[in-house]
Amino acid sequence: MKLWGQISVELTVGDYVEAADHQRRLEDILKLVKDAYPEATLCMRERRQRKSQPMVRPLPRSATTGRLNDYFERS
């Protein structure tokens, strides 16, 4: 059996310099984790907040019968 464990840390940073500082700290923590779990990895991604969008109602379904349309060639 294989298991996958995840530790998540959400950071709010002002600029790339501050982000790099946090990354260095997390890499130091990763070294400690790798002592027990050698295959451990660190992945950092930028999370962008979603823009708020107005609620939109779905379009009403058209009344269909499920019957196929008859197509024919006209001469």
Side-chain angles (χ1 to χ4, degrees):
M1 175 185 349
K2 268 195 158 182
L3 297 175
W4 182 65
Q6 179 178 357
I7 298 170
S8 180
V9 179
E10 188 170 316
L11 305 166
T12 302
V13 297
D15 57 19
Y16 287 108
V17 174
E18 189 178 348
D21 185 44
H22 284 290
Q23 183 172 352
R24 277 191 292 278
R25 288 184 206 163
L26 290 171
E27 287 170 348
D28 291 340
I29 294 169
L30 180 64
K31 288 176 188 173
L32 300 172
V33 173
K34 280 190 170 225
D35 290 341
Y37 303 100
E39 295 180 7
T41 60
L42 172 64
C43 179
M44 293 191 67
R45 291 185 217 137
E46 180 181 2
R47 281 187 67 185
R48 296 180 185 209
Q49 292 189 7
R50 292 183 181 187
K51 295 179 182 176
S52 63
Q53 297 179 350
M55 295 294 287
V56 179
R57 290 185 180 204
L59 294 174
R61 289 187 161 186
S62 60
T64 59
T65 62
R67 185 176 147 211
L68 297 176
N69 294 329
D70 291 325
Y71 294 100
F72 60 93
E73 290 184 24
R74 295 179 187 225
S75 355

